[in-house]
Amino acid sequence: MSGEQNEKLTELLKLLKLNNGDLSKLTQEQRKEMKDYKFWKTQPVTRLDESVQKEGPIDRKKTPDEISDQPLPLLGDFEWCTVDVTDQKQLEDVFLLLNENYVEDRDATFRFKYTREFFNWSLRSPGWKQDWHVGVRVGSTKKLVAFISAIPVNLRVRDNTVRSVEINFLCVHKQLRGKRLTPVMIKEITRRVNRCDIWYALYTSGTILPSPVSVCRYTHRPLNWSKLHDVGFTHMPSHATRNQMIAKYTLPKATSTEGLRPMEEKDLDEVRLLFEKYQSRFDLVQNFDEAEFKHWFLGNDEKTASNPSSKVIYSYVVENQNGQISDFFSFYSLPFTILNNSVHKELGIGYLFYYASDADLEYADRFSPEATAALKERLCGLMNDACILARDAKMDVFNALTSQDNALFLEPLKFGPGDGFLNFYLFNYRAFPITGGIKDDKSYDTVKRSNVGVVML
Ligand SMILES: CCCCCCCCCCCCCC(=O)SCCNC(=O)CCNC(=O)[C@H](O)C(C)(C)COP(=O)(O)OP(=O)(O)OC[C@H]1O[C@@H](n2cnc3c(N)ncnc32)[C@H](O)[C@@H]1OP(=O)(O)O
């Protein structure tokens, strides 16, 4: 072993020891140490070197009147703005910023293509507050150069329900990166949320920060292999031909689950009941009330009906012969813009959202061989149909995480492991690690599966 390799091994062993052997924390090759997180080391989050002894809040209990009613100072020619996403012009500013500066793959070939319909759905869930759509503009030109958002959620972390927010769509314009604007934005949104007497948050990121409560892996199921290959999203294995690959991923013409149909308003109560039963198995869950359930699974954009191509959320139920709903699944659409390709401009992407099934509910132990086999069989049928429906909705790839019970169907349904990992974080709340559906070697964990029951956009 070379000196360099030896050094790497020592470093790795050190990290493993720090994390009590928890390899899931090693998703980023070069990890910073806690002391190097100049901002995060000042925040109420679990430290990287901390072994959690007891779950619960980190900071002492506070009241909103202890929190300043004044925004944080911004340097230079920058000013805060509250984005009114019901205003077309302001909404356009947000998606211009995100479409041009949000997450891109390493070679800058793909970029998320956010739309008005997507924001209406993701930023205006019940209880949403305009004050939590925080932007930064350049004073002189009024150009929007940074954004961060929060929506209110009721989280359950194991047995505790925690009134929280979900933070999403943090974005700083490429030309302003590395200038420490992010900490200011996080502090400002924390202030605005705290003023509403909410003290906890859930957020996800591909970046390693102190400290993930769970790590899931992205997986991809090609629906239109030849297009994915043409745009460089998938590569041809050396031993295969194009036709073999197309044949491998070709799905049946039609769905096969009897009683499968789109979810309707009349189904909401019954599906929510089934969903709650199913979700009770997981350790990190978002509880939905009636209005939230309707919003997240039927969408809130009436205009979508006249323009089906802008549809964001797709929900289906399985109604059995007795007229009861035995299963439900949903997926959402968030396409990519393809950069630098003369033929294809857009890549249709479906993301598995929530689902529920009564397949294993009768078993006392969901991990027993019988319960596992029953759920696996049902999920394989349902998710294969979900892929078919996504393909019919012009999606080219179907993405899923290793969260929930997904590990049961990923391999049989040809979901390949992706390069990306998603870290889940809790702000101001300590929690024991939650299984993310991957083993130490990052392969799918079909035995433990995942106890993450929340899906973040
Ligand atoms: C109670 C209510 C609480 C509410 C708040 C709860 C917390 C919410 C937390 C936010 C959840 C967001 C969830 C999502 O939306 S995750 C999606 C994040 N967005 C993107 O990836 C879009 C493309 N990238 C960018 O726009 C920029 O690169 C960003 C904005 C990510 C960083 O811009 P930049 O590169 O110019 O950095 P800086 O110089 O300003 O600042 C450097 C500091 O920022 C820390 N940093 C870097 N990336 C992230 C990140 N993704 N979460 C948290 N912190 C991050 C970094 O470690 C360093 O701190 P420290 O290492 O010195 O300590």
Side-chain angles (χ1 to χ4, degrees):
M1 191 179 290
S2 71
E4 196 191 335
Q5 275 175 322
N6 211 344
E7 227 167 77
K8 271 205 173 134
L9 188 69
T10 317
E11 187 62 22
L12 189 73
L13 288 170
K14 210 165 87 192
L15 285 170
L16 286 176
K17 214 167 142 212
L18 285 180
N19 295 308
N20 298 328
D22 183 5
L23 263 173
S24 61
K25 305 264 175 70
L26 285 171
T27 49
Q28 202 168 265
E29 216 180 275
Q30 283 180 329
R31 276 268 307 282
K32 292 202 283 190
E33 285 183 42
M34 193 66 208
K35 66 173 171 43
D36 301 324
Y37 285 95
K38 291 204 164 45
F39 166 65
W40 281 108
K41 72 179 176 193
T42 67
Q43 297 300 298
V45 290
T46 313
R47 297 175 56 84
L48 286 171
D49 47 9
E50 182 175 341
S51 138
V52 174
Q53 303 297 323
K54 190 173 177 286
E55 295 204 326
I58 295 175
D59 259 355
R60 70 169 174 87
K61 201 168 167 16
K62 291 184 193 155
T63 54
D65 53 18
E66 289 177 65
I67 305 297
S68 166
D69 59 359
Q70 293 303 310
L72 266 93
L74 271 176
L75 292 175
D77 187 24
F78 297 120
E79 59 188 37
W80 293 112
C81 71
T82 297
V83 179
D84 177 1
V85 293
T86 61
D87 178 89
Q88 189 57 26
K89 170 78 190 66
Q90 296 185 42
L91 186 59
E92 265 164 35
D93 288 345
V94 179
F95 61 74
L96 195 71
L97 174 75
L98 292 194
N99 287 343
E100 290 184 356
N101 300 278
Y102 208 57
V103 189
E104 252 174 29
D105 66 313
R106 258 175 257 129
D107 324 329
T109 337
F110 306 105
R111 202 181 260 168
F112 285 125
K113 186 182 177 194
Y114 290 106
T115 59
R116 184 176 60 82
E117 290 78 8
F118 189 86
F119 281 135
N120 272 336
W121 181 62
S122 55
L123 291 179
R124 291 172 62 199
S125 57
W128 71 279
K129 287 189 173 26
Q130 192 169 311
D131 196 40
W132 295 353
H133 297 160
V134 184
V136 173
R137 289 187 190 273
V138 176
S140 50
T141 61
K142 303 292 175 229
K143 184 181 164 82
L144 186 73
V145 289
F147 185 73
I148 190 167
S149 69
I151 51 166
V153 291
N154 271 316
L155 287 183
R156 177 173 61 74
V157 186
R158 299 199 166 82
D159 295 330
N160 291 324
T161 304
V162 190
R163 184 75 184 142
S164 313
V165 289
E166 272 178 16
I167 303 288
N168 211 336
F169 306 116
L170 163 65
C171 185
V172 168
H173 194 283
K174 281 180 181 168
Q175 285 168 349
L176 292 173
R177 297 274 167 89
K179 299 191 188 308
R180 317 269 334 153
L181 192 52
T182 305
V184 188
M185 299 196 58
I186 294 174
K187 281 194 244 174
E188 176 60 12
I189 200 151
T190 303
R191 186 191 70 79
R192 293 184 188 204
V193 169
N194 285 166
R195 290 284 299 170
C196 297
D197 205 9
I198 296 180
W199 307 90
Y200 312 99
L202 170 71
Y203 49 103
T204 51
S205 173
T207 329
I208 298 264
L209 307 164
S211 289
V213 63
S214 189
V215 185
C216 294
R217 187 168 190 170
Y218 283 106
T219 77
H220 312 284
R221 204 296 177 188
L223 303 175
N224 182 351
W225 190 85
S226 38
K227 179 168 167 190
L228 294 173
H229 183 250
D230 290 349
V231 301
F233 192 88
T234 47
H235 297 284
M236 177 105 72
S238 52
H239 58 272
T241 66
R242 192 180 176 90
N243 282 346
Q244 279 170 337
M245 294 307 287
I246 293 172
K248 175 175 173 185
Y249 290 113
T250 299
L251 287 158
K253 283 210 161 53
T255 59
S256 59
T257 308
E258 228 173 282
L260 180 68
R261 60 167 175 81
M263 182 163 113
E264 295 170 39
E265 199 154 344
K266 66 171 191 259
D267 304 316
L268 284 171
D269 290 343
E270 197 182 342
V271 180
R272 191 157 74 94
L273 219 62
L274 171 71
F275 181 66
E276 280 173 1
K277 275 189 205 150
Y278 191 79
Q279 289 292 94
S280 66
R281 68 189 56 203
F282 301 123
D283 288 339
L284 180 62
V285 164
Q286 179 179 346
N287 291 331
F288 297 101
D289 68 18
E290 209 179 313
E292 287 169 329
F293 198 78
K294 179 172 178 209
H295 172 89
W296 287 113
F297 299 107
L298 289 182
N300 80 341
D301 199 327
E302 305 78 35
K303 287 192 188 130
T304 306
S306 59
N307 181 12
S309 71
S310 62
K311 192 170 157 73
V312 177
I313 176 74
Y314 296 73
S315 299
Y316 292 83
V317 294
V318 179
E319 183 177 334
N320 66 21
Q321 281 157 347
N322 307 325
Q324 283 156 346
I325 289 175
S326 55
D327 313 85
F328 130 87
F329 63 76
S330 56
F331 54 90
Y332 64 90
S333 162
L334 176 53
F336 271 164
T337 301
I338 307 172
L339 310 170
N340 319 320
N341 190 298
S342 52
V343 183
H344 302 291
K345 299 286 168 228
E346 193 174 307
L347 201 63
I349 310 204
Y351 289 81
L352 178 60
F353 198 40
Y354 288 96
Y355 59 86
S357 169
D358 69 8
D360 68 355
L361 294 184
E362 67 188 89
Y363 299 91
D365 174 14
R366 75 172 172 118
F367 291 108
S368 72
E370 301 76 26
T372 304
L375 185 64
K376 180 176 177 176
E377 190 188 342
R378 190 84 69 84
L379 288 184
C380 282
L382 290 170
M383 295 305 154
N384 207 47
D385 282 350
C387 289
I388 293 170
L389 292 162
R391 175 204 61 196
D392 293 349
K394 303 273 177 295
M395 293 168 193
D396 301 307
V397 60
F398 196 73
N399 290 346
L401 282 167
T402 54
S403 56
Q404 301 142 289
D405 282 316
N406 300 358
L408 290 180
F409 64 79
L410 293 174
E411 207 169 82
L413 297 188
K414 301 174 187 161
F415 283 77
D419 297 337
F421 294 86
L422 191 65
N423 302 284
F424 287 73
Y425 299 97
L426 291 168
F427 184 88
N428 193 22
Y429 200 89
R430 271 191 199 96
F432 300 122
I434 296 174
T435 47
I438 43 176
K439 295 193 276 200
D440 287 355
D441 66 0
K442 308 285 184 273
S443 63
Y444 305 149
D445 190 342
T446 53
V447 176
K448 290 202 204 107
R449 305 176 222 162
S450 171
N451 275 325
V452 173
V454 65
V455 182
M456 295 271 297
L457 304 179

